[in-house]
Amino acid sequence: MQYLVSVIHDKPGLATPTEMAAINAFNDGLKAAGYWVFTGGLASPSTATVIDNRGEEAMFSDGPFLESKEFLAGFWILEAADLDVVLKLAAEGSKACNRKVEVRPFL
């Protein structure tokens, strides 16, 4: 089963060089163990564009869809046999990136 591990942060800016080294080492371990599917970091919320095409005309607006202290800073997509494995990996990922993470299974 695949899981989304979302990285949650509350300050704009990139990971420090020390954090990046830890993230890269963590990613290498995920790849070596066969858990890694895909990883990505995201630009700051100020670069977001929200599109709402539920009405008669598409509406485009700058910025995140809601004002929040915390935002999605990046993610891992992991493949594992069960949630317990991913929760352990997510705890290691949280430590490596020095940020909170959220785990959700794909449907």
Side-chain angles (χ1 to χ4, degrees), residues 17 29 34 76 84:
W76 285 280
D84 290 336

Side-chain angles (χ1 to χ4, degrees), residues 1-38:
M1 177 169 235
Q2 290 187 338
Y3 296 84
L4 173 67
V5 179
S6 303
V7 178
I8 303 164
H9 199 39
D10 60 355
K11 296 176 187 78
L14 301 174
T16 67
T18 301
E19 290 168 342
M20 276 311 304
I23 292 166
N24 289 334
F26 177 67
N27 288 342
D28 290 343
L30 290 174
K31 290 174 186 175
Y35 297 118
W36 188 87
V37 175
F38 185 77

Side-chain angles (χ1 to χ4, degrees), residues 70-99:
E70 297 180 327
F71 57 89
L72 182 63
F75 61 91
W76 285 280
I77 298 175
L78 305 180
E79 178 89 35
D82 61 57
L83 179 61
D84 290 336
V85 171
V86 174
L87 292 177
K88 182 177 181 287
L89 294 169
E92 294 172 17
S94 174
K95 184 74 145 176
C97 69
N98 194 33
R99 286 154 179 75

